[in-house]
Each structure stands twice: as C-alpha cells, then as structure tokens.
Amino acid sequence: MTAIVAVHGVGHYAAGHSPADVVDARSATWSKQLATGLGVTPEQIPLTYAYYAHHLHRNRPVSQGADPLDQLEYEHPEAADEIARWAESLDQGLDLGLPSVTAQGHLAVPLRQFVSVLAERLSLDGRLTRAFIALFFRDVALYLKHHEDPARIAAREEVAATIASTGARVVIAHSLGSVVTYEALHAHPELDVELLLTLGSPLALPHGVFDRLSPAPANGTGRRPAGVRRWVNLCDHGDIVAIPRPLKQRFPTVDLDLTDSIAPFDFHSAAPYLRSAAVAAAIAPFVETKR
C-alpha cells in the first residue's frame, strides 16, 4: 500500500494538545473518512496527518468571548480589504450581485453587515458564515504574513518532513493546507509525489493568496512543484473559497480539475470531500481495496 499524507486546512488548531496526540487522533479520523468513501476499513488506509497549525498559533493568546469578525479586524486590520477582494472574485464566479457592498476593492459597508448580506445571498446561516470567514482569513493572514516569517517556514517544513519521514507518494491537501503543501513541495523538489490531490483549494484566490505565494507566480501563472507527477484538484460547486474556478486558469499544469456537488450545506469542510466518490476514484489506485 502507498503511504498517504493528509494536510489540514483552516480551523484545525488544537490548543492544549500535544502535536503528537493531534496527529494520532486525526490520522485515525481522516483514515476513517477516506475509508467510508472507498468502502474499505480504516486499517486499509495508511494515512498520516500533517499537523502544522501549532506553528501558526505559537505564543498567540486564545481569544475568548469576542465576536469572530471583531477579533479578526482587531488582529488583522487589513482583513476587510482582503475580504472585499475575495467578495469581488466570488461575485464574478457566482453572480451574487454584490456591487452595492463593495467599491474599488474596499468594503463600502461595515464588515459584519457585509457578511450578513453575503450569507443572505448564499442562503447560509449568518452566524456560521461570520465564524467561517473570520476563521479562514485569520489563518490565511497568519500563514501568509510575509515570505520569511518563521511560522510560515516552520509550517511548510513540518509538512515536508512528514512527507519525507513517511515516504508518502500520495498527498491530500485541504483548504489552506493546499497552499502550505504547494510551498513545501516547491521548497523540497527532492520529494517524489505520485499524486497531489487538492481539495477546496484557495491557491488561485487573487491578492490574499495567489499573489503572495512562494515561489511567486510568473506572468499570472503558478508553477507545478517539480516532484509532483500528477495533480488532481477538486472543489464543491458551493465552496466559497475555492475561487476563481477553474484552478487551471492560474495553474495550467493541473492534470484534472473537477467541480462537483460534494455537500450542499457543508461547502468547505474536509469530511465531505474525503468521503466523496471523486476522492475515492483519485486515490483508489494507491489503496489496497480487498475486503
């Protein structure tokens, strides 16, 4: 069986738990979710969870009781502009009719009001949407602070070390994890990966992600890591951070770029992606499926 490394996205920081305990617990959880989609037992999924969130949150106080959007604006004052640019990309892709709340790349209304409008247009729960947007842009800001930030380097080195130590030939990277993995594989071209599977990836997100990547895109195009033999990307139709679509517009060397209905009311979580038929089809050649 081929070893698999799974790289998590936003919101996976486990305060108060050792990295080793997090890796053990979540390796078991992600193996179970992949096994469900494949129709096999979790023991048939040789998966190791690459945990990097503790590097981003080291020495940061845990916020308590604050509204997530208020906390985001306090910690990252540039967040409103990044959210505005994201909203413009989202509007172009989904035709939400949001010009009344954005103007020239900036929010024309308070952040909380804007998110309420967005949730209404998407028929989403407003409270959960506020929490998700705050979580996503906080973790993105923590990782993409600047190119030589120690936390960014430590996160990508953690992912690279996990791939190297396990001898993994398959890497599954979700959400922000696809960004960390992309940079880790570029930083370590000696890593030989037969399949890179990115799920709900924001790699092409203008300004906030794409334009901050390392290595920097050339002429509007991102480069495939040298050690990756095959790259498959999957996003849900309703995934509001996996934009703009298709990813191949910005990363033309993606071999297969899929958009599917994964989970209509759970558009970005890892679990529905991992249990999906599309993911099962991608990794089945690397997994022993005999019962």
Side-chain angles (χ1 to χ4, degrees):
M1 290 186 291
T2 302
I4 300 171
V5 162
V7 188
H8 67 82
V10 301
H12 282 248
Y13 176 54
H17 297 273
S18 73
D21 287 344
V22 173
V23 168
D24 288 344
R26 296 202 174 149
S27 294
T29 298
W30 284 46
S31 293
K32 182 177 180 180
Q33 290 163 347
L34 283 176
T36 297
L38 283 161
V40 300
T41 66
E43 291 73 24
Q44 291 171 270
I45 308 294
L47 180 145
T48 301
Y49 183 88
Y51 181 54
Y52 64 83
H54 57 299
H55 295 297
L56 305 185
H57 290 263
R58 182 167 288 135
N59 301 322
R60 294 185 69 252
V62 178
S63 59
Q64 309 217 353
D67 179 278
L69 288 178
D70 291 343
Q71 189 72 24
L72 178 65
E73 286 192 287
Y74 175 75
E75 293 185 354
H76 305 285
E78 73 286 357
D81 285 351
E82 294 299 340
I83 291 173
R85 293 187 177 104
W86 161 73
E88 290 173 349
S89 298
L90 186 64
D91 192 26
Q92 291 171 8
L94 301 182
D95 192 23
L96 298 175
L98 292 175
S100 60
V101 293
T102 61
Q104 298 179 347
H106 298 276
L107 285 175
V109 297
L111 183 55
R112 194 180 304 185
Q113 182 182 341
F114 162 73
V115 173
S116 296
V117 173
L118 179 64
E120 181 181 352
R121 300 284 172 86
L122 293 172
S123 300
L124 300 174
D125 180 282
R127 180 181 60 83
L128 294 179
T129 304
R130 283 200 309 274
F132 170 74
I133 290 175
L135 182 67
F136 177 78
F137 282 95
R138 179 203 67 187
D139 281 12
V140 167
L142 288 174
Y143 180 71
L144 293 172
K145 190 180 300 182
H146 57 78
H147 288 292
E148 299 305 319
D149 182 70
R152 180 173 181 169
I153 294 172
R156 74 183 185 215
E157 289 301 309
E158 186 75 48
V159 169
T162 304
I163 296 170
S165 66
T166 58
R169 308 300 292 276
V170 175
V171 179
I172 303 173
H174 174 242
S175 184
L176 178 62
S178 67
V179 179
V180 182
T181 301
Y182 177 85
E183 295 196 341
L185 292 174
H186 270 295
H188 292 273
E190 73 279 5
L191 293 174
D192 186 8
V193 174
E194 290 190 43
L195 173 65
L196 171 62
L197 177 57
T198 50
L199 310 175
S201 174
L203 273 166
L205 187 63
H207 305 288
V209 176
F210 184 75
D211 297 298
R212 297 182 182 180
L213 289 174
S214 179
N219 299 317
T221 299
R223 304 205 307 268
R224 178 194 192 117
V228 173
R229 300 187 189 183
R230 179 170 172 79
W231 184 355
V232 175
N233 181 67
L234 172 64
C235 71
D236 186 277
H237 284 291
D239 196 323
I240 61 175
V241 300
I243 56 170
R245 295 195 281 264
L247 188 70
K248 282 179 73 72
Q249 289 181 335
R250 293 293 191 182
F251 297 88
T253 53
V254 170
D255 294 289
L256 186 60
D257 196 3
L258 301 172
T259 302
D260 203 353
S261 294
I262 306 297
F265 301 105
D266 195 6
F267 55 81
H268 189 68
S269 297
Y273 275 114
L274 296 172
R275 294 192 297 258
S276 70
V279 166
I283 68 169
F286 303 96
V287 176
E288 176 58 64
T289 57
K290 292 182 180 179
R291 295 177 183 272

